Amino acid sequence: AQSVTQLGSHVSVSEGALVLLRCNYSSSVPPYLFWYVQYPNQGLQLLLKYTSAATLVKGINGFEAEFKKSETSFHLTKPSAHMSDAAEYFCAVSEAGNQFYFGTGTSLTVIP
Amino acid sequence: KAGVTQTPRYLIKTRGQQVTLSCSPISGHRSVSWYQQTPGQGLQFLFEYFSETQRNKGNFPGRFSGRQFSNSRSEMNVSTLELGDSALYLCASSPQTGGSYNEQFFGPGTRLTVL
């Protein structure tokens, strides 16, 4: 089975600062990787996905993530944080058969 | 296309009761997965249905069950509710394109509170 580790359950950044949310995965085969965002009292919304094309993936709302096979990482970044980015972020890996494995989530706080 | 819908959005039950939650996937999606989300445990996979068959199952007791209908709508049932079953239950649907990559689209969830 695959697994996902998100380092840091809580991250705080100042408005305008760089956002970096970390995700490491374990997989014996090339993975499909995803980042989802969850706002309070809502379901999860897809931010971006890696499906073995370009290693640098651009998503919605200015977010991007880089797949690094040697480091088994898929960290999420955004150059400049906005107040509206405050939410819970989940990294996920998918294997054949549509089973998803989610990390435990990182809560992002943006300080004005 | 309409998104994934879940009903009801909120439920309050007492210990020992049973509950049924419903999920309508995006039109054309044949795979439906269920997750339990709690503050301490994060997102935990319950099960996945595809074409009315349970294809994957997480590590939950038999009190948790589900089914899928021919129109891909899915229900999950929890019997003999316990306080620890209080959670947000999320449903996600996926298009089944034939490859191993399947993006999941999530509904808003059903908030279950067990008293």
Side-chain angles (χ1 to χ4, degrees):
Chain A
Q2 303 184 355
S3 67
V4 175
T5 302
Q6 290 184 241
L7 293 176
S9 58
H10 293 89
V11 170
S12 293
V13 300
S14 298
E15 190 174 17
L18 172 71
V19 175
L20 171 60
L21 304 182
R22 299 178 187 275
C23 173
N24 288 87
Y25 66 92
S26 67
S27 173
S28 58
V29 299
Y32 298 109
L33 296 159
F34 305 80
W35 273 100
Y36 283 85
V37 61
Q38 185 180 33
Y39 297 102
N41 299 314
Q42 295 186 25
L44 277 67
Q45 178 185 359
L46 182 71
L47 271 178
L48 48 80
K49 56 195 177 190
Y50 168 75
T51 57
S52 73
T55 57
L56 182 62
V57 181
K58 294 187 184 298
I60 62 172
N61 301 336
F63 285 93
E64 62 183 36
E66 186 173 8
F67 171 70
K68 291 187 177 181
K69 184 178 179 181
S70 61
E71 299 177 6
T72 61
S73 68
F74 191 57
H75 302 331
L76 182 70
T77 61
K78 182 175 180 177
S80 177
H82 191 272
M83 295 298 294
S84 61
D85 295 328
E88 187 90 16
Y89 292 80
F90 293 91
C91 181
V93 61
S94 170
E95 65 179 12
N98 204 45
Q99 185 159 354
F100 270 53
Y101 297 88
F102 283 86
T104 51
T106 297
S107 177
L108 176 66
T109 299
V110 182
I111 304 166
Chain B
K1 284 185 178 177
V4 178
T5 59
Q6 293 186 245
T7 57
R9 290 293 310 277
Y10 302 91
L11 265 178
I12 299 176
K13 294 286 188 178
T14 56
R15 280 181 299 173
Q17 288 187 309
Q18 75 165 22
V19 67
T20 298
L21 312 182
S22 181
C23 172
S24 292
I26 291 172
S27 178
H29 287 194
R30 297 165 64 190
S31 170
V32 173
S33 298
W34 288 90
Y35 297 86
Q36 181 194 65
Q37 184 179 20
T38 57
Q41 301 293 324
L43 273 150
Q44 292 189 288
F45 173 73
L46 280 156
F47 29 65
E48 184 231 352
Y49 286 87
F50 176 74
S51 292
E52 302 179 64
T53 300
Q54 187 181 90
R55 186 163 63 174
N56 291 298
K57 187 178 189 302
N59 188 27
F60 276 81
R63 300 185 298 106
F64 292 82
S65 62
R67 60 178 175 169
Q68 186 180 34
F69 302 95
S70 58
N71 62 357
S72 292
R73 190 176 70 85
S74 177
E75 291 181 345
M76 67 163 283
N77 183 277
V78 187
S79 61
T80 319
L81 284 166
E82 300 177 358
L83 295 179
D85 297 333
S86 294
L88 180 67
Y89 290 88
L90 292 165
C91 167
S93 74
S94 292
Q96 193 70 13
T97 59
S100 57
Y101 152 62
N102 291 283
E103 176 181 335
Q104 293 203 338
F105 296 81
F106 283 81
T110 293
R111 173 75 63 186
L112 172 64
T113 302
V114 182
L115 303 176

